[in-house]
């Protein structure tokens, strides 16, 4: 009974995460239209990125308060995905708007180390 109940809880969490992602994805086409806008001087990430990360952080914070750490780690098993995404980002040219020729690594590697 415990295993069945735990599996139902995990399924519900996946459903919640899927619904929130889909809600944010519906907003993405509007955001994409502004990406190449010449007067876009906004230094902040897109609303899509901010919303998704805010919701994932909120979910992580809530689950960390009510579940065992091992269960939270199972739910947020992101290490391989983060490594893959960061590997791709490292290969991209960096924004050289300030002339500093910043690497795409530094802070990303710190992020990976601090969370995993």
């Amino acid at each position: 009974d415990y295993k069945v109940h735990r599996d139902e809880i995990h399924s519900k969490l996946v459903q919640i995460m899927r619904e929130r992602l889909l809600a944010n994805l519906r907003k993405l086409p509007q955001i994409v239209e502004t990406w190449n806008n010449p007067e876009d001087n906004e230094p902040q990430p897109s609303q899509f990125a901010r919303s998704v990360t805010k919701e994932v952080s909120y979910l992580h914070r809530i689950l960390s308060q009510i579940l065992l750490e091992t269960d939270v780690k199972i739910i947020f098993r992101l290490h391989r995905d983060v490594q893959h995404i960061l590997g791709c980002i490292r290969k991209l040219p960096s924004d050289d708007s300030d002339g500093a020729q910043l690497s795409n690594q530094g802070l990303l590697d710190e992020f990976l180390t601090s969370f995993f």
Side-chain angles (χ1 to χ4, degrees):
D1 287 344
Y2 174 75
K3 183 183 179 333
V4 169
H5 183 65
R6 188 186 75 196
D7 290 345
E8 289 172 351
I9 291 172
H10 287 176
S11 295
K12 183 64 176 176
L13 291 172
V14 169
Q15 179 185 357
I16 291 169
M17 291 169 33
R18 181 179 294 125
E19 287 172 3
R20 296 311 314 143
L21 181 60
L22 290 175
N24 284 301
L25 282 175
R26 284 192 281 279
K27 300 174 190 172
L28 192 56
Q30 298 163 341
I31 294 167
V32 169
E33 291 176 10
T34 66
W35 282 352
N36 293 323
N37 191 348
E39 58 270 354
D40 181 18
N41 295 331
E42 179 65 39
Q44 298 294 318
S46 70
Q47 182 60 41
F48 172 78
R50 291 190 306 243
S51 294
V52 169
T53 55
K54 179 182 176 183
E55 290 181 7
V56 169
S57 296
Y58 177 75
L59 183 62
H60 180 264
R61 187 173 63 246
I62 296 300
L63 293 179
S64 295
Q65 294 172 3
I66 59 176
L67 296 176
L68 297 172
E69 183 180 347
T70 54
D71 289 333
V72 174
K73 285 183 178 182
I74 289 170
I75 293 168
F76 290 95
R77 188 174 296 173
L78 300 172
H79 186 252
R80 288 180 296 228
D81 290 346
V82 170
Q83 282 183 318
H84 178 75
I85 291 168
L86 293 181
C88 177
I89 290 172
R90 285 184 191 110
K91 295 175 187 174
L92 298 174
S94 64
D95 178 17
D96 193 17
S97 59
D98 62 358
Q101 295 196 0
L102 299 173
S103 167
N104 277 336
Q105 296 184 20
L107 294 175
L108 298 174
D109 290 327
E110 287 178 25
F111 168 82
L112 184 64
T113 302
S114 66
F115 282 97
F116 301 103

